[in-house]
Amino acid sequence: MFSDQMVELGKKRSTIREIFEYGNKRAKEVGRENIFDFSLGNPNVPAPRSVTDSLISMIQTEPAEILHGYTSAPGMDSVRQAMAEDLNKRFGTKFRKENFYMTVGAAAAICTTLRALAEPEDEVVVIAPFFPEYKCWIEHTAKAKCVVVPADTESFQICFDALSHAVTSRTKAVIVNSPNNPSGTVYSEETIQRLADVLEQKSEEFGHPIFLISDEPYREILYDGRQYPFVTKYYKNTFVCYSYSKSLSVPGERIGYVLVPDEMEGASDAFAAICGAGRILGYVNAPGMFQRAAAACTGQTADISVYEKNRNLLYDGLVKYGYFCVKPQGAFYLFLKAPEADEKAFCERAKKYDLLLVPGSDFGCPGYVRISYCVKTEMIERALPVFERLAEEYH
Ligand code: PLP
């Protein structure tokens, strides 16, 4: 009666959501203060005051029929202009409003891009560890095949030998995500340059462009004064998928964009395909009030310094107790090597202490667990002795 595939997908919650719901259930039983829930990537710092101010001002000044009305499908001109000016100022680029298509967060930006690009039987390459929804979007939204490049667990940069093997004549695109969920790694300029070189060379070998989809919801969440290069400067055939969910702490408001640079091969058709994909996916236009709010808050972020403090506290504690992990350089995740080969068994052991961690298998990287530290610093302080006791079980 219904699509079997969709029924199956609808019934099967993501592992992250399962763990989060389990945490809520346990909180009712033993009290929220006794649960150490590191499962979700839901920013815990409030949105900057400017978000609220811009909403109040637009409610007070704009006629309701305009405020709540449809916008043009790619988004409001003034909003797209603000996005272009913001990036040009920060990265020395030369984008125009015509390069931007406003979307319902990064999720819709990526789905729209995948649908715009891939035909059935095409392949889309992802690099482990990767955001688990990619697989779902590649297979079900684009009806393409998801090809996984195994992780370079030394540094969580890209394993280029494996990437070279994974890219074939059927490859339509490669998705990268830096700063990375779940490893917290930020790709170095050398990695971006090598990636560009490999994709240039493969595009030439196969006689068609291999596009890069750069998923950047954590673009501003960088530590130790680090900078992240703007990827279109290195590889012209790049779709940038951005979201304000994390930088402005507004994940429930669903606002982001796809950026199609003028230098891209077939740029005008590429943009048309994005519009076409948005249309058939039924997105119509991204939320109007939050298009305006995002434009009013360009260049600002929530107080992301909290995440760096959390990273330091958590990383230093875990290393002291004998755990191993690559020090996160951005985003708000730490990818811990499980002290036993089966990371799911480790997560189960942690659960006995009401310590909720996410197994790495879903991210294409078994043997590791994700700790999401966009939580109250005080919860990390309380959780550290619990991590210590857990480590002692392995000594
Ligand atoms: N990509 C990555 C790597 C993410 O971590 C997330 C959300 O956590 C998304 C995409 C989806 O972001 P959005 O909330 O903007 O749809």
Side-chain angles (χ1 to χ4, degrees), residues 130-170:
F130 58 87
F131 185 55
E133 294 299 279
Y134 291 164
K135 191 165 182 314
C136 191
W137 297 335
I138 292 167
E139 290 174 353
H140 299 287
T141 307
K143 312 248 182 284
K145 191 174 159 211
C146 178
V147 175
V148 178
V149 171
D152 163 7
T153 51
E154 291 288 304
S155 64
F156 291 111
Q157 299 280 323
I158 298 173
C159 180
F160 280 101
D161 281 350
L163 178 68
S164 287
H165 279 107
V167 174
T168 69
S169 60
R170 298 197 120 135

Coordinates of all heavy atoms in Angstrom, one line a residue, residues 130-170:
F130 N 31.8 9.9 8.2 CA 30.9 10.8 7.5 C 29.5 10.9 8.3 O 29.1 10.0 9.0 CB 30.7 10.4 6.1 CG 30.1 9.1 5.9 CD1 28.7 8.8 5.9 CD2 31.0 8.0 5.7 CE1 28.2 7.5 5.8 CE2 30.5 6.7 5.6 CZ 29.1 6.5 5.6
F131 N 28.8 12.0 8.0 CA 27.5 12.3 8.6 C 26.5 11.2 8.0 O 26.4 11.1 6.8 CB 27.0 13.7 8.2 CG 25.7 14.1 8.8 CD1 25.6 14.2 10.1 CD2 24.7 14.6 8.0 CE1 24.4 14.6 10.7 CE2 23.5 15.1 8.5 CZ 23.3 15.1 9.9
P132 N 25.9 10.4 8.9 CA 25.2 9.2 8.4 C 24.1 9.5 7.4 O 23.8 8.6 6.6 CB 24.6 8.6 9.7 CG 25.4 9.1 10.8 CD 25.9 10.5 10.4
E133 N 23.5 10.7 7.5 CA 22.4 11.0 6.6 C 22.8 11.0 5.2 O 22.0 10.9 4.2 CB 21.6 12.3 7.0 CG 20.9 12.2 8.4 CD 19.8 11.2 8.4 OE1 18.7 11.4 8.0 OE2 20.1 10.1 9.0
Y134 N 24.1 11.2 4.9 CA 24.6 11.3 3.5 C 24.1 10.1 2.7 O 23.7 10.1 1.6 CB 26.1 11.3 3.4 CG 26.8 12.6 3.9 CD1 28.1 12.6 4.1 CD2 26.1 13.8 4.1 CE1 28.8 13.8 4.6 CE2 26.7 14.9 4.5 CZ 28.1 14.9 4.8 OH 28.7 16.0 5.2
K135 N 24.3 8.9 3.4 CA 24.0 7.6 2.7 C 22.5 7.6 2.3 O 22.2 7.2 1.1 CB 24.4 6.5 3.6 CG 24.4 5.1 3.0 CD 25.1 4.2 3.9 CE 25.2 2.8 3.4 NZ 24.0 2.2 2.8
C136 N 21.7 8.0 3.2 CA 20.3 8.0 3.0 C 19.9 9.0 1.9 O 19.1 8.6 1.0 CB 19.7 8.5 4.4 SG 18.0 8.4 4.6
W137 N 20.5 10.1 1.9 CA 20.2 11.1 0.9 C 20.7 10.7 -0.5 O 20.0 10.9 -1.5 CB 20.8 12.5 1.2 CG 20.2 13.1 2.5 CD1 19.0 12.8 3.1 CD2 20.9 14.0 3.4 NE1 18.8 13.5 4.2 CE2 20.0 14.3 4.5 CE3 22.1 14.6 3.4 CZ2 20.3 15.1 5.5 CZ3 22.4 15.5 4.5 CH2 21.5 15.8 5.5
I138 N 21.9 10.1 -0.5 CA 22.4 9.7 -1.8 C 21.6 8.6 -2.4 O 21.2 8.6 -3.6 CB 23.9 9.2 -1.7 CG1 24.8 10.4 -1.3 CG2 24.4 8.5 -2.9 CD1 26.2 9.9 -0.8
E139 N 21.2 7.6 -1.6 CA 20.5 6.4 -2.1 C 19.0 6.7 -2.4 O 18.5 6.2 -3.3 CB 20.6 5.3 -1.1 CG 22.0 4.7 -1.0 CD 22.3 3.7 0.0 OE1 21.4 3.5 0.9 OE2 23.4 3.1 0.0
H140 N 18.4 7.5 -1.5 CA 16.9 7.7 -1.6 C 16.5 9.0 -2.3 O 15.5 9.0 -3.0 CB 16.3 7.6 -0.3 CG 16.5 6.2 0.3 ND1 15.8 5.1 -0.2 CD2 17.3 5.8 1.3 CE1 16.3 4.0 0.5 NE2 17.1 4.5 1.4
T141 N 17.3 10.1 -2.1 CA 16.9 11.3 -2.8 C 17.5 11.3 -4.2 O 16.8 11.7 -5.1 CB 17.4 12.5 -2.0 OG1 17.0 12.4 -0.6 CG2 16.9 13.8 -2.5
A142 N 18.7 11.0 -4.3 CA 19.4 11.0 -5.7 C 19.3 9.7 -6.4 O 19.6 9.6 -7.6 CB 20.8 11.5 -5.5
K143 N 18.9 8.6 -5.7 CA 18.9 7.2 -6.2 C 20.2 6.8 -6.8 O 20.3 6.1 -7.8 CB 17.8 7.1 -7.3 CG 16.4 7.7 -6.9 CD 15.4 6.6 -6.7 CE 14.0 7.1 -6.4 NZ 13.9 7.5 -5.0
A144 N 21.3 7.3 -6.2 CA 22.6 7.0 -6.7 C 23.2 6.0 -5.7 O 22.6 5.6 -4.8 CB 23.4 8.3 -6.8
K145 N 24.5 5.6 -6.0 CA 25.2 4.6 -5.2 C 26.2 5.4 -4.3 O 26.9 6.2 -4.8 CB 25.9 3.7 -6.1 CG 26.4 2.5 -5.4 CD 27.0 1.5 -6.4 CE 28.0 0.6 -5.6 NZ 29.1 0.1 -6.4
C146 N 26.2 5.0 -3.0 CA 27.1 5.7 -2.1 C 28.4 4.8 -2.0 O 28.3 3.6 -1.6 CB 26.4 5.7 -0.7 SG 27.4 6.5 0.6
V147 N 29.5 5.4 -2.3 CA 30.8 4.7 -2.2 C 31.6 5.4 -1.1 O 31.8 6.6 -1.0 CB 31.6 4.9 -3.6 CG1 32.9 4.3 -3.5 CG2 30.8 4.3 -4.7
V148 N 32.1 4.5 -0.2 CA 32.7 5.0 1.0 C 34.3 4.9 0.9 O 34.8 3.8 0.6 CB 32.2 4.2 2.3 CG1 33.0 4.7 3.5 CG2 30.7 4.4 2.5
V149 N 35.0 6.0 1.2 CA 36.4 5.9 1.3 C 36.7 5.7 2.8 O 36.3 6.5 3.6 CB 37.0 7.3 0.8 CG1 38.5 7.3 1.2 CG2 36.8 7.5 -0.7
P150 N 37.5 4.6 3.1 CA 37.8 4.4 4.5 C 38.5 5.5 5.2 O 39.2 6.3 4.5 CB 38.6 3.1 4.5 CG 38.6 2.6 3.1 CD 38.1 3.7 2.2
A151 N 38.4 5.6 6.5 CA 39.0 6.7 7.2 C 40.5 6.6 7.3 O 41.1 5.5 7.4 CB 38.4 6.7 8.6
D152 N 41.2 7.7 7.4 CA 42.6 7.8 7.8 C 42.6 8.0 9.3 O 42.4 9.2 9.7 CB 43.3 8.9 7.0 CG 44.6 9.3 7.6 OD1 45.0 8.7 8.5 OD2 45.1 10.4 7.1
T153 N 42.7 7.0 10.1 CA 42.5 7.1 11.5 C 43.7 7.8 12.2 O 43.6 8.0 13.4 CB 42.1 5.8 12.2 OG1 43.1 4.8 11.8 CG2 40.7 5.4 11.8
E154 N 44.8 7.9 11.5 CA 46.0 8.6 12.0 C 45.6 10.1 12.3 O 46.0 10.6 13.3 CB 47.1 8.6 11.1 CG 47.7 7.2 10.8 CD 48.5 6.8 12.1 OE1 49.4 7.5 12.5 OE2 48.2 5.7 12.6
S155 N 45.0 10.7 11.3 CA 44.8 12.2 11.4 C 43.3 12.6 11.1 O 43.0 13.7 11.3 CB 45.7 12.9 10.4 OG 45.3 12.5 9.1
F156 N 42.6 11.7 10.5 CA 41.2 11.9 10.0 C 41.2 13.0 8.9 O 40.2 13.7 8.6 CB 40.2 12.3 11.1 CG 39.9 11.1 12.0 CD1 40.4 11.0 13.3 CD2 39.2 10.0 11.4 CE1 40.1 9.9 14.0 CE2 39.0 8.9 12.2 CZ 39.4 8.8 13.5
Q157 N 42.4 13.2 8.2 CA 42.4 13.9 7.0 C 42.0 12.9 5.9 O 41.3 11.9 6.3 CB 43.8 14.5 6.7 CG 44.3 15.4 7.7 CD 43.8 16.9 7.6 OE1 43.6 17.4 6.5 NE2 43.6 17.5 8.7
I158 N 42.3 13.1 4.6 CA 41.7 12.2 3.6 C 42.8 11.1 3.2 O 44.0 11.5 3.0 CB 41.3 13.0 2.3 CG1 40.2 13.9 2.7 CG2 40.9 12.0 1.2 CD1 39.8 14.9 1.6
C159 N 42.4 9.9 3.1 CA 43.3 8.8 2.6 C 43.3 8.9 1.1 O 42.3 8.4 0.5 CB 42.8 7.5 3.2 SG 43.8 6.1 2.7
F160 N 44.3 9.5 0.5 CA 44.2 9.8 -0.9 C 44.3 8.6 -1.8 O 43.8 8.5 -2.9 CB 45.2 10.9 -1.3 CG 44.7 12.3 -0.9 CD1 45.1 12.9 0.2 CD2 43.7 12.9 -1.7 CE1 44.6 14.1 0.6 CE2 43.2 14.1 -1.3 CZ 43.6 14.8 -0.2
D161 N 45.1 7.6 -1.4 CA 45.2 6.3 -2.2 C 43.8 5.7 -2.3 O 43.3 5.3 -3.4 CB 46.1 5.3 -1.5 CG 47.5 5.6 -1.7 OD1 47.8 6.5 -2.5 OD2 48.4 5.0 -1.0
A162 N 43.1 5.7 -1.2 CA 41.7 5.1 -1.2 C 40.8 5.9 -2.0 O 39.9 5.4 -2.8 CB 41.2 4.9 0.2
L163 N 40.9 7.3 -2.0 CA 40.1 8.1 -2.7 C 40.3 7.9 -4.2 O 39.3 7.8 -5.0 CB 40.3 9.6 -2.4 CG 39.5 10.6 -3.2 CD1 38.0 10.6 -2.8 CD2 40.0 12.1 -2.9
S164 N 41.6 7.8 -4.6 CA 41.9 7.6 -6.0 C 41.2 6.3 -6.6 O 40.8 6.3 -7.7 CB 43.4 7.5 -6.2 OG 43.9 8.8 -6.1
H165 N 41.2 5.3 -5.7 CA 40.5 4.0 -6.2 C 39.0 4.2 -6.2 O 38.4 3.5 -7.0 CB 40.9 2.9 -5.2 CG 42.2 2.3 -5.5 ND1 43.3 2.6 -4.7 CD2 42.7 1.6 -6.5 CE1 44.4 2.0 -5.2 NE2 44.0 1.4 -6.3
A166 N 38.5 5.0 -5.3 CA 37.0 5.1 -5.2 C 36.4 5.9 -6.3 O 35.3 5.6 -6.7 CB 36.7 5.7 -3.8
V167 N 37.2 6.8 -6.9 CA 36.6 7.6 -7.9 C 36.7 6.9 -9.3 O 37.8 6.5 -9.7 CB 37.4 9.0 -8.0 CG1 36.9 9.8 -9.2 CG2 37.1 9.8 -6.7
T168 N 35.6 6.7 -9.9 CA 35.5 5.9 -11.2 C 34.8 6.8 -12.2 O 34.4 7.9 -11.9 CB 34.7 4.6 -11.0 OG1 33.3 5.0 -10.9 CG2 35.2 3.8 -9.8
S169 N 34.7 6.2 -13.4 CA 34.0 6.9 -14.5 C 32.6 7.2 -14.1 O 31.9 8.1 -14.7 CB 34.1 6.2 -15.8 OG 33.5 4.9 -15.6
R170 N 32.0 6.5 -13.2 CA 30.6 6.7 -12.8 C 30.5 7.8 -11.7 O 29.4 8.1 -11.3 CB 30.0 5.4 -12.2 CG 30.0 4.3 -13.2 CD 29.1 3.3 -12.7 NE 28.0 3.1 -13.7 CZ 27.5 1.9 -14.1 NH1 28.0 0.8 -13.5 NH2 26.6 1.8 -14.9

